[in-house]
Amino acid sequence: MKKLFVSILLFVSFLGVKAQIITPKEHFGFNIGDDYHLANFSQTEAYFKKLAQQSDRILYQVIGKTEEGRDQPMLIVSSPENLAKLSHYKNISQRLARAELAEQEAKQLAKEGMLFL
């Protein structure tokens, strides 16, 4: 869980000064990793949703259900331009994964897909 929050913090730090993003300490009331403090699932989910509302660079999606029947969240962090073309990049990924296209077309799609990273 600590690694997840460190990753989120790194992404948030790259978002720039355009939007005021709430820090984990402001949301949870403690620093992630503090002794005897642990954020629960509901608190973490609320933080992810808040981040997505505060930034045009974060997209919150539900990718299924957890074993406990809760929504399993996923944050996609990228530029607003890339997020606007997300379905296009998903399509590229799916076509490359199926390997049902000519080699030249696969190379072109792979090159285009690398722009998303």
Side-chain angles (χ1 to χ4, degrees):
M1 185 94 156
K2 187 174 180 180
K3 288 182 183 180
L4 175 66
F5 281 99
V6 170
S7 297
I8 297 295
L9 288 175
L10 287 174
F11 284 128
V12 170
S13 68
F14 289 114
L15 295 178
V17 188
K18 287 177 24 180
Q20 183 63 28
I21 303 296
I22 190 166
T23 66
K25 184 169 185 168
E26 291 171 332
H27 177 79
F28 296 110
F30 53 87
N31 288 312
I32 301 303
D34 281 353
D35 287 343
Y36 307 107
H37 290 88
L38 185 63
N40 65 33
F41 184 92
S42 299
Q43 291 170 316
T44 304
E45 181 182 40
Y47 182 58
F48 288 170
K49 287 179 179 179
K50 195 175 289 186
L51 287 176
Q53 290 173 348
Q54 292 178 340
S55 175
D56 62 351
R57 296 176 177 266
I58 299 176
L59 178 63
Y60 177 95
Q61 288 189 338
V62 174
I63 58 172
K65 294 289 184 182
T66 68
E67 190 62 32
E68 297 174 328
R70 303 176 192 197
D71 288 341
Q72 177 67 56
M74 173 178 72
L75 295 181
I76 301 172
V77 182
S78 189
S79 70
E81 297 81 21
N82 283 344
L83 290 176
K85 296 188 284 184
L86 186 60
S87 63
H88 174 69
Y89 290 117
K90 282 182 179 181
N91 183 28
I92 289 173
S93 179
Q94 289 171 352
R95 292 183 67 197
L96 289 172
R98 290 190 187 108
E100 297 172 348
L101 47 144
E103 183 178 350
Q104 187 60 31
E105 185 180 8
K107 287 181 180 181
Q108 181 60 34
L109 287 174
K111 184 186 282 187
E112 185 179 344
M114 290 302 290
L115 297 176
F116 183 67
L117 301 174

